[in-house]
Coordinates of all heavy atoms in Angstrom, one line a residue:
Q247 N 8.8 3.1 63.0 CA 9.2 4.4 62.7 C 8.0 5.3 62.4 O 7.2 4.9 61.6 CB 10.2 4.4 61.6 CG 11.5 3.8 61.9 CD 12.6 4.1 60.9 OE1 12.3 4.5 59.8 NE2 13.9 4.0 61.3
V248 N 7.9 6.4 63.1 CA 6.8 7.4 62.9 C 7.4 8.7 62.6 O 8.3 9.2 63.4 CB 5.9 7.4 64.2 CG1 4.8 8.5 64.0 CG2 5.3 6.1 64.5
F249 N 7.0 9.3 61.6 CA 7.5 10.7 61.2 C 6.4 11.7 61.3 O 5.3 11.5 60.8 CB 8.1 10.7 59.8 CG 8.5 12.0 59.3 CD1 9.6 12.6 59.8 CD2 7.6 12.8 58.5 CE1 10.0 13.9 59.3 CE2 8.0 14.0 58.0 CZ 9.2 14.6 58.5
W250 N 6.7 12.8 61.9 CA 5.8 14.0 62.0 C 6.5 15.2 61.4 O 7.7 15.4 61.7 CB 5.3 14.3 63.4 CG 4.4 13.2 64.0 CD1 3.7 12.2 63.4 CD2 4.2 13.0 65.4 NE1 3.1 11.4 64.3 CE2 3.4 11.9 65.5 CE3 4.7 13.6 66.6 CZ2 2.9 11.4 66.7 CZ3 4.2 13.1 67.8 CH2 3.4 12.0 67.9
G251 N 5.8 16.0 60.7 CA 6.5 17.3 60.2 C 6.2 17.5 58.8 O 5.8 16.6 58.0
V252 N 6.3 18.8 58.4 CA 6.1 19.2 57.1 C 7.2 20.1 56.5 O 7.3 20.2 55.3 CB 4.7 20.0 57.0 CG1 3.6 19.2 57.3 CG2 4.8 21.3 57.9
T253 N 8.0 20.7 57.3 CA 9.1 21.6 56.8 C 10.3 20.8 56.3 O 10.4 19.6 56.5 CB 9.6 22.6 57.9 OG1 10.0 21.8 59.0 CG2 8.4 23.5 58.3
E254 N 11.1 21.5 55.5 CA 12.2 20.8 54.8 C 13.5 20.7 55.6 O 14.2 19.6 55.7 CB 12.5 21.5 53.5 CG 13.6 20.9 52.7 CD 13.3 19.5 52.2 OE1 12.2 19.3 51.8 OE2 14.2 18.7 52.3
F255 N 13.9 21.8 56.3 CA 15.2 21.8 56.9 C 15.4 21.5 58.4 O 16.4 21.2 58.8 CB 15.8 23.2 56.6 CG 16.0 23.5 55.1 CD1 15.1 24.2 54.4 CD2 17.2 23.1 54.5 CE1 15.3 24.5 53.1 CE2 17.4 23.3 53.1 CZ 16.4 24.0 52.4
N256 N 14.3 21.6 59.1 CA 14.4 21.4 60.5 C 13.0 20.9 61.0 O 12.0 21.6 61.1 CB 14.7 22.8 61.3 CG 14.9 22.6 62.7 OD1 15.3 21.5 63.2 ND2 14.7 23.6 63.5
H257 N 13.0 19.6 61.4 CA 11.8 18.9 61.8 C 11.6 19.1 63.4 O 12.0 18.2 64.1 CB 11.8 17.5 61.4 CG 12.0 17.3 59.9 ND1 11.1 17.9 59.0 CD2 12.9 16.7 59.2 CE1 11.5 17.6 57.8 NE2 12.6 16.9 57.9
L258 N 11.0 20.2 63.8 CA 10.9 20.4 65.2 C 10.0 19.4 65.9 O 10.2 19.0 67.0 CB 10.3 21.8 65.4 CG 11.3 23.0 65.3 CD1 10.5 24.3 65.4 CD2 12.4 23.0 66.3
V259 N 8.9 19.0 65.2 CA 7.8 18.3 65.9 C 8.1 16.8 65.8 O 7.4 16.0 66.5 CB 6.5 18.5 65.2 CG1 6.1 20.0 65.3 CG2 6.4 18.0 63.8
D260 N 9.1 16.3 65.1 CA 9.4 14.9 64.9 C 10.1 14.4 66.1 O 11.4 14.6 66.3 CB 10.2 14.7 63.7 CG 10.3 13.2 63.3 OD1 9.4 12.5 63.6 OD2 11.3 12.8 62.7
I261 N 9.5 13.7 67.1 CA 10.0 13.4 68.4 C 9.9 12.0 68.8 O 10.6 11.5 69.7 CB 9.4 14.3 69.5 CG1 10.2 14.3 70.7 CG2 7.9 13.9 69.7 CD1 9.7 15.2 71.8
I262 N 9.2 11.1 68.1 CA 9.0 9.8 68.5 C 10.2 8.9 68.4 O 10.6 8.2 69.4 CB 7.8 9.1 67.7 CG1 6.5 9.9 68.0 CG2 7.7 7.7 68.1 CD1 6.1 9.9 69.5
N263 N 10.9 8.9 67.3 CA 12.1 8.1 67.1 C 13.4 8.9 67.4 O 13.5 10.1 67.1 CB 12.1 7.6 65.6 CG 11.0 6.6 65.3 OD1 9.9 7.0 65.0 ND2 11.3 5.3 65.5
Q264 N 14.4 8.1 67.8 CA 15.7 8.7 68.1 C 16.4 8.9 66.8 O 16.3 8.1 65.9 CB 16.5 7.8 69.1 CG 17.8 8.3 69.4 CD 17.9 9.6 70.1 OE1 17.9 10.6 69.4 NE2 17.9 9.6 71.4
T265 N 17.3 9.9 66.8 CA 18.1 10.2 65.6 C 19.3 9.3 65.5 O 20.0 9.2 66.5 CB 18.5 11.7 65.6 OG1 17.4 12.6 65.6 CG2 19.4 12.0 64.4
D266 N 19.5 8.7 64.4 CA 20.7 7.9 64.1 C 21.7 8.9 63.5 O 21.9 8.9 62.3 CB 20.4 6.8 63.2 CG 21.5 5.8 63.1 OD1 22.5 6.0 63.7 OD2 21.3 4.7 62.4
L267 N 22.5 9.6 64.3 CA 23.3 10.7 63.8 C 24.5 10.2 63.1 O 25.1 10.9 62.3 CB 23.7 11.6 65.0 CG 24.2 13.0 64.7 CD1 23.2 13.8 64.0 CD2 24.7 13.7 66.0
V268 N 25.0 8.9 63.3 CA 26.1 8.4 62.6 C 25.8 8.2 61.1 O 26.6 8.1 60.3 CB 26.7 7.2 63.2 CG1 27.2 7.5 64.6 CG2 25.7 6.0 63.2
E269 N 24.5 8.0 60.8 CA 24.1 7.8 59.4 C 24.1 9.0 58.6 O 24.6 9.0 57.4 CB 22.6 7.2 59.4 CG 22.6 5.7 59.6 CD 23.4 5.0 58.5 OE1 23.0 5.1 57.3 OE2 24.4 4.3 58.8
N270 N 23.6 10.1 59.2 CA 23.6 11.4 58.4 C 23.5 12.5 59.4 O 22.7 12.5 60.3 CB 22.5 11.4 57.4 CG 22.7 12.4 56.3 OD1 23.0 13.6 56.5 ND2 22.6 12.0 55.0
I271 N 24.2 13.6 59.1 CA 24.2 14.8 60.0 C 22.9 15.5 59.9 O 22.6 16.4 60.8 CB 25.4 15.7 59.6 CG1 25.6 16.7 60.8 CG2 25.2 16.4 58.3 CD1 26.9 17.5 60.5
D272 N 22.1 15.3 58.9 CA 20.8 16.0 58.7 C 19.8 15.6 59.7 O 18.7 16.2 59.8 CB 20.3 16.0 57.3 CG 19.9 14.6 56.8 OD1 19.9 13.6 57.7 OD2 19.7 14.4 55.6
G273 N 20.0 14.5 60.4 CA 19.1 14.1 61.5 C 17.8 13.4 61.0 O 16.9 13.1 61.8
E274 N 17.7 13.0 59.7 CA 16.5 12.4 59.2 C 16.5 10.9 59.3 O 15.5 10.3 59.1 CB 16.3 12.9 57.7 CG 16.0 14.4 57.6 CD 15.6 14.8 56.2 OE1 15.7 13.9 55.3 OE2 15.3 15.9 56.0
E275 N 17.7 10.3 59.5 CA 17.8 8.9 59.7 C 17.4 8.6 61.2 O 17.9 9.2 62.1 CB 19.1 8.3 59.4 CG 19.5 8.5 57.9 CD 18.7 7.7 57.0 OE1 18.1 6.7 57.4 OE2 18.6 8.1 55.8
K276 N 16.5 7.6 61.4 CA 16.0 7.3 62.7 C 16.2 5.9 63.1 O 16.3 5.0 62.3 CB 14.5 7.7 62.8 CG 14.2 9.1 62.5 CD 14.7 10.1 63.5 CE 14.3 11.5 63.2 NZ 14.7 12.4 64.2
L277 N 16.3 5.7 64.5 CA 16.4 4.3 65.0 C 14.9 3.8 65.3 O 14.0 4.6 65.5 CB 17.1 4.3 66.4 CG 18.6 4.8 66.3 CD1 19.1 4.9 67.8 CD2 19.4 3.9 65.5
G278 N 14.8 2.5 65.2 CA 13.5 1.9 65.5 C 13.1 2.2 67.0 O 13.9 2.1 67.9
Q279 N 11.8 2.5 67.2 CA 11.3 2.7 68.6 C 10.3 1.7 69.0 O 9.3 1.5 68.3 CB 10.6 4.1 68.6 CG 9.9 4.4 69.9 CD 10.8 4.4 71.1 OE1 11.8 5.1 71.1 NE2 10.4 3.8 72.2
P280 N 10.5 0.9 70.1 CA 9.5 0.0 70.5 C 8.3 0.7 71.1 O 8.4 1.7 71.8 CB 10.2 -0.8 71.6 CG 11.4 0.1 72.1 CD 11.8 0.9 70.9
M281 N 7.1 0.2 70.7 CA 5.9 1.0 71.0 C 4.7 0.1 70.9 O 4.7 -0.9 70.2 CB 5.7 2.2 70.2 CG 5.4 1.9 68.7 SD 5.1 3.4 67.7 CE 6.8 4.1 67.6
V282 N 3.6 0.6 71.5 CA 2.2 0.1 71.2 C 1.5 1.3 70.7 O 1.4 2.4 71.4 CB 1.5 -0.4 72.5 CG1 0.1 -0.8 72.2 CG2 2.3 -1.6 73.1
H283 N 1.0 1.2 69.5 CA 0.5 2.4 68.7 C -0.9 2.1 68.3 O -1.2 1.2 67.5 CB 1.4 2.7 67.5 CG 0.9 3.9 66.7 ND1 1.5 4.1 65.5 CD2 -0.1 4.8 66.9 CE1 0.9 5.2 64.9 NE2 -0.1 5.6 65.8
L284 N -1.9 2.8 68.9 CA -3.3 2.7 68.5 C -3.8 3.9 67.8 O -3.6 5.0 68.3 CB -4.1 2.4 69.8 CG -5.7 2.4 69.6 CD1 -6.1 1.2 68.7 CD2 -6.4 2.3 70.9
S285 N -4.4 3.7 66.6 CA -5.0 4.8 65.9 C -6.5 4.7 65.8 O -7.0 3.6 65.4 CB -4.4 4.9 64.5 OG -3.0 5.2 64.5
L286 N -7.2 5.7 66.1 CA -8.7 5.7 66.0 C -9.0 6.7 64.8 O -8.6 7.9 64.9 CB -9.3 6.2 67.3 CG -9.0 5.4 68.6 CD1 -9.7 6.0 69.8 CD2 -9.3 4.0 68.4
I287 N -9.7 6.2 63.9 CA -10.1 7.0 62.7 C -11.5 7.4 62.8 O -12.5 6.6 62.9 CB -9.9 6.2 61.4 CG1 -8.4 5.8 61.2 CG2 -10.3 6.9 60.2 CD1 -8.0 4.5 61.8
R288 N -11.7 8.7 62.8 CA -13.1 9.3 63.0 C -13.3 10.3 61.9 O -12.3 10.7 61.2 CB -13.2 10.0 64.3 CG -13.0 9.0 65.5 CD -14.1 8.0 65.6 NE -14.0 7.1 66.8 CZ -13.4 5.9 66.8 NH1 -12.9 5.5 65.6 NH2 -13.4 5.2 67.9
D289 N -14.5 10.7 61.6 CA -14.8 11.7 60.6 C -14.2 13.1 60.9 O -14.1 13.9 60.1 CB -16.3 11.8 60.2 CG -17.1 12.1 61.5 OD1 -16.6 12.3 62.5 OD2 -18.4 12.2 61.3
W290 N -13.9 13.3 62.2 CA -13.3 14.6 62.6 C -11.8 14.5 62.8 O -11.2 15.4 63.3 CB -14.0 15.1 63.9 CG -14.2 14.0 65.0 CD1 -15.3 13.3 65.1 CD2 -13.3 13.5 65.9 NE1 -15.2 12.4 66.2 CE2 -13.9 12.5 66.7 CE3 -11.9 13.8 66.2 CZ2 -13.3 11.8 67.7 CZ3 -11.3 13.1 67.3 CH2 -12.0 12.1 68.0
G291 N -11.2 13.4 62.3 CA -9.7 13.3 62.4 C -9.3 12.0 62.9 O -10.1 11.1 63.2
I292 N -8.0 11.8 63.0 CA -7.3 10.6 63.5 C -6.7 10.9 64.8 O -6.0 11.9 64.9 CB -6.3 10.1 62.5 CG1 -6.9 9.7 61.1 CG2 -5.5 8.9 63.0 CD1 -5.9 9.4 60.1
V293 N -6.9 10.1 65.8 CA -6.3 10.2 67.1 C -5.3 9.1 67.3 O -5.7 7.9 67.2 CB -7.3 10.3 68.2 CG1 -6.6 10.4 69.6 CG2 -8.3 11.4 68.0
D294 N -4.0 9.4 67.5 CA -3.0 8.4 67.8 C -2.6 8.4 69.2 O -2.3 9.4 69.8 CB -1.8 8.7 66.9 CG -2.0 8.5 65.4 OD1 -2.3 7.4 65.0 OD2 -1.9 9.5 64.7
F295 N -2.6 7.2 69.8 CA -2.1 7.0 71.2 C -0.9 6.1 71.1 O -0.9 5.0 70.5 CB -3.2 6.3 72.0 CG -4.5 7.0 72.2 CD1 -5.5 6.8 71.3 CD2 -4.6 8.0 73.2 CE1 -6.7 7.5 71.5 CE2 -5.8 8.7 73.3 CZ -6.8 8.5 72.5
M296 N 0.2 6.5 71.7 CA 1.5 5.8 71.6 C 2.0 5.6 73.0 O 2.2 6.6 73.8 CB 2.5 6.5 70.8 CG 2.1 6.7 69.4 SD 3.3 7.6 68.4 CE 2.4 7.7 66.8
V297 N 2.3 4.3 73.4 CA 3.0 4.0 74.6 C 4.4 3.5 74.1 O 4.5 2.5 73.5 CB 2.3 2.9 75.4 CG1 3.1 2.5 76.6 CG2 0.9 3.4 75.7
L298 N 5.4 4.3 74.5 CA 6.8 4.0 74.0 C 7.5 3.2 75.1 O 7.9 3.8 76.2 CB 7.5 5.3 73.7 CG 6.6 6.3 72.8 CD1 7.3 7.6 72.6 CD2 6.3 5.6 71.5
T299 N 7.8 2.0 74.9 CA 8.3 1.1 75.9 C 9.8 0.9 75.8 O 10.2 -0.2 75.4 CB 7.6 -0.3 75.8 OG1 7.8 -0.8 74.4 CG2 6.1 -0.2 76.0
G300 N 10.5 1.9 76.1 CA 12.0 1.8 76.1 C 12.6 3.0 75.4 O 12.0 3.5 74.4
F301 N 13.7 3.4 75.8 CA 14.4 4.6 75.2 C 15.6 4.1 74.4 O 16.4 3.3 74.9 CB 14.8 5.5 76.3 CG 15.5 6.7 75.8 CD1 14.9 7.8 75.2 CD2 16.9 6.8 76.0 CE1 15.6 8.9 74.8 CE2 17.6 7.9 75.6 CZ 16.9 9.0 74.9
R302 N 15.9 4.8 73.3 CA 17.1 4.5 72.5 C 18.0 5.8 72.6 O 17.6 6.9 72.3 CB 16.7 4.3 71.0 CG 15.7 3.2 70.7 CD 16.2 1.8 71.0 NE 17.4 1.5 70.3 CZ 17.5 1.2 69.0 NH1 16.3 1.1 68.3 NH2 18.6 0.9 68.4
E303 N 19.3 5.5 72.9 CA 20.2 6.7 73.0 C 20.6 7.1 71.6 O 20.7 6.3 70.7 CB 21.4 6.2 73.8 CG 21.2 6.0 75.3 CD 22.4 5.7 76.1 OE1 23.5 5.7 75.5 OE2 22.3 5.4 77.3
R304 N 20.9 8.4 71.5 CA 21.4 8.9 70.2 C 22.8 8.4 69.9 O 23.6 8.2 70.8 CB 21.4 10.4 70.2 CG 21.9 11.1 69.0 CD 21.5 12.6 68.9 NE 20.1 12.8 68.9 CZ 19.5 13.9 68.7 NH1 20.2 15.0 68.4 NH2 18.2 14.1 68.7
T305 N 23.0 8.1 68.6 CA 24.3 7.7 68.2 C 25.2 8.9 67.8 O 24.7 9.9 67.3 CB 24.2 6.8 66.9 OG1 23.6 7.5 65.9 CG2 23.4 5.5 67.3
F306 N 26.5 8.8 68.0 CA 27.4 9.9 67.7 C 28.7 9.3 67.1 O 29.1 8.2 67.4 CB 27.8 10.6 69.0 CG 26.7 11.4 69.6 CD1 26.0 10.8 70.7 CD2 26.4 12.7 69.2 CE1 24.9 11.5 71.2 CE2 25.4 13.4 69.8 CZ 24.6 12.8 70.8
P307 N 29.3 10.1 66.1 CA 30.6 9.6 65.5 C 31.6 9.4 66.6 O 31.7 10.1 67.6 CB 30.9 10.7 64.6 CG 29.7 11.4 64.3 CD 28.8 11.3 65.5
G308 N 32.5 8.4 66.4 CA 33.6 8.2 67.3 C 34.8 9.0 67.1 O 34.8 9.9 66.2
P309 N 35.9 8.8 67.8 CA 37.1 9.6 67.6 C 37.7 9.6 66.2 O 38.3 10.6 65.8 CB 38.1 8.9 68.6 CG 37.3 8.2 69.6 CD 36.1 7.7 68.8
S310 N 37.5 8.5 65.5 CA 38.0 8.5 64.1 C 37.0 8.9 63.1 O 37.2 9.0 61.9 CB 38.4 7.0 63.7 OG 39.5 6.6 64.6

Side-chain angles (χ1 to χ4, degrees):
Q247 290 193 340
V248 176
F249 173 79
W250 295 338
V252 294
T253 57
E254 178 65 43
F255 294 97
N256 186 24
H257 302 301
L258 285 173
V259 302
D260 191 29
I261 195 173
I262 297 300
N263 291 86
Q264 178 60 274
T265 298
D266 191 356
L267 200 60
V268 298
E269 274 301 299
N270 200 309
I271 195 175
D272 63 9
E274 294 189 355
E275 298 293 335
K276 301 292 183 177
L277 301 175
Q279 171 63 48
M281 68 176 73
V282 178
H283 178 191
L284 173 66
S285 298
L286 304 180
I287 297 91
R288 301 293 184 264
D289 56 3
W290 41 266
I292 299 174
V293 181
D294 292 295
F295 298 92
M296 299 182 183
V297 179
L298 311 176
T299 57
F301 177 77
R302 307 289 307 278
E303 293 183 3
R304 180 165 296 190
T305 60
F306 293 95
S310 299

